[in-house]
Amino acid sequence: MPKFKIEPHFRLQEWVAEEKGYFREEGLDYEFKEFIRSTDGTHHATSGHSGAFQSIEKGRESNVTCACHWTVNVAASRGHTKMFADAYSVAPSGIFVHANSTIASPADLAGVPISVGFQSGSHYATIQALEPYLDQAQIKLSFDEGMLFSRMEAFFAGRAPAATLFGGPYYFAEQLGFRKITDTTFMIGAMVNGEPDLEDVKRYFQALRRAQRDIDLRPELYTHYYKMEFPERFHAAMDTRRWGPGERIVFEPYSREVFSQSFDWIAQHGIFEPGSMGAGNYDQAVVSVGLA
């Protein structure tokens, strides 16, 4: 049986579980491979219509990875992966502008290019957050700056007037004095790739649950792990003592109702071409390990 493959993804829980030995204690035989810091963030240097969905479509090596629940929903409906039904995450996210920007409210973002990742969490979440203020035609999104760390760097350098950031980059933007115009907090779904032993999947999430309790109790002890997720060139400017706990794993089911409502919302907003979202069949799209 091949080793269970883990790639940490924008959150602290994997790092805590790894350092504290929780994966081993749960009996998981695994390999742990980080890819953002080790590649200096080049993984996120995409542009145009290339984002989270396209990376799933190409295939991911790790046995459990994650992306926004909207994209995982469609990817699982098209048979590219299986959505994990026993838990989901919630990520802090927001639309930021520069400190000297004249933009003061979400309504002021009408016609302003907002940097987001194509068919990625920021894409959907920005639309969802701005709809109470703006008509669809007034919401202008830019996909040219790439995925999260690439987008963050472009925004910091002044190459975008606004950007939707989440997780560590959200806290970094706050620390550096960029102004948050509105929250765009969103759900993240886990996906099971390949054909791992489902008992290994269960062991993995049991270890993450232990790590989540540690973070809930003493978050200040663990925010230093953000440096494990950022390219080295940002480390000197980061004061992770000021940052929050980030994405939180919720050990509740991603239910049939939530799946259906999300699938319908995506279709209504035309984020995918008509007829290209798959069957939308919950039973075929999800996998459960009976995590109690």
Side-chain angles (χ1 to χ4, degrees):
M1 178 68 68
K3 288 187 175 183
F4 191 85
K5 295 180 181 179
I6 299 173
E7 287 181 357
H9 182 85
F10 313 142
R11 58 189 183 189
L12 306 183
Q13 292 86 352
E14 282 96 344
W15 293 104
V16 175
E18 164 72 357
E19 294 292 332
K20 290 200 167 190
Y22 293 159
F23 293 129
R24 296 287 183 204
E25 290 176 13
E26 292 291 343
L28 187 63
D29 183 21
Y30 71 100
E31 57 181 277
F32 192 86
K33 185 178 181 181
E34 178 275 330
F35 63 92
I36 295 295
R37 183 181 178 187
S38 61
T39 62
D40 202 33
T42 57
H43 178 77
H44 283 185
T46 64
S47 63
H49 291 184
S50 179
F53 181 84
Q54 287 67 38
S55 75
I56 299 168
E57 194 173 34
K58 289 176 183 176
R60 293 189 177 184
E61 291 187 7
S62 292
N63 293 124
V64 178
T65 57
C66 57
C68 73
H69 74 117
W70 297 285
T71 280
V72 178
N73 190 312
V74 176
S77 292
R78 286 180 54 172
H80 297 310
T81 187
K82 289 286 187 180
M83 189 173 207
F84 186 67
D86 298 341
Y88 57 87
S89 304
V90 179
S93 174
I95 303 174
F96 288 85
V97 299
H98 295 265
N100 61 357
S101 173
T102 59
I103 296 168
S105 76
D108 295 335
L109 288 164
V112 175
I114 304 167
S115 182
V116 302
F118 181 66
Q119 290 179 349
S120 305
S122 53
H123 183 170
Y124 311 85
T126 300
I127 295 170
Q128 194 173 70
L130 292 181
E131 280 187 323
Y133 299 91
L134 302 173
D135 293 334
Q136 187 71 32
Q138 296 176 299
I139 300 173
K140 186 175 181 180
L141 305 179
S142 172
F143 306 117
D144 294 338
E145 293 74 35
M147 299 294 284
L148 182 59
F149 289 104
S150 176
R151 179 167 76 249
M152 178 193 77
E153 190 167 21
F155 172 62
F156 286 178
R159 299 196 297 273
T164 298
L165 302 173
F166 66 92
Y170 169 101
Y171 294 126
F172 198 19
E174 284 190 324
Q175 178 203 316
L176 295 178
F178 293 95
R179 289 193 293 110
K180 184 177 69 179
I181 298 300
T182 185
D183 277 297
T184 62
T185 302
F186 63 92
M187 295 170 69
I188 290 176
M191 64 193 97
V192 177
N193 307 307
E195 297 183 0
D197 185 334
L198 292 184
E199 282 301 309
D200 282 346
V201 175
K202 189 172 184 177
R203 293 182 184 103
Y204 167 80
F205 277 99
Q206 287 174 163
L208 292 190
R209 179 152 54 187
R210 295 172 67 184
Q212 183 64 68
R213 289 198 190 102
D214 290 341
I215 296 166
D216 288 345
L217 181 64
R218 294 290 304 276
E220 78 283 2
L221 297 180
Y222 306 110
T223 55
H224 68 89
Y225 285 113
Y226 281 114
K227 288 193 174 181
M228 305 300 287
E229 291 286 348
F230 273 70
E232 296 276 354
R233 62 186 179 275
F234 298 113
H235 287 194
M238 294 164 61
D239 183 359
T240 59
R241 296 169 300 180
R242 298 171 59 180
W243 297 16
E247 179 184 335
R248 188 179 192 282
I249 304 175
V250 180
F251 290 91
E252 294 288 340
Y254 190 88
S255 69
R256 184 184 305 273
E257 290 74 22
V258 171
F259 181 92
S260 297
Q261 289 175 26
S262 300
F263 193 85
D264 291 345
W265 186 92
I266 299 164
Q268 290 164 9
H269 288 79
I271 295 174
F272 287 80
E273 290 294 323
S276 69
M277 287 176 52
N281 185 306
Y282 181 78
D283 295 320
Q284 293 176 359
V286 308
V287 63
S288 170
V289 298
L291 198 64

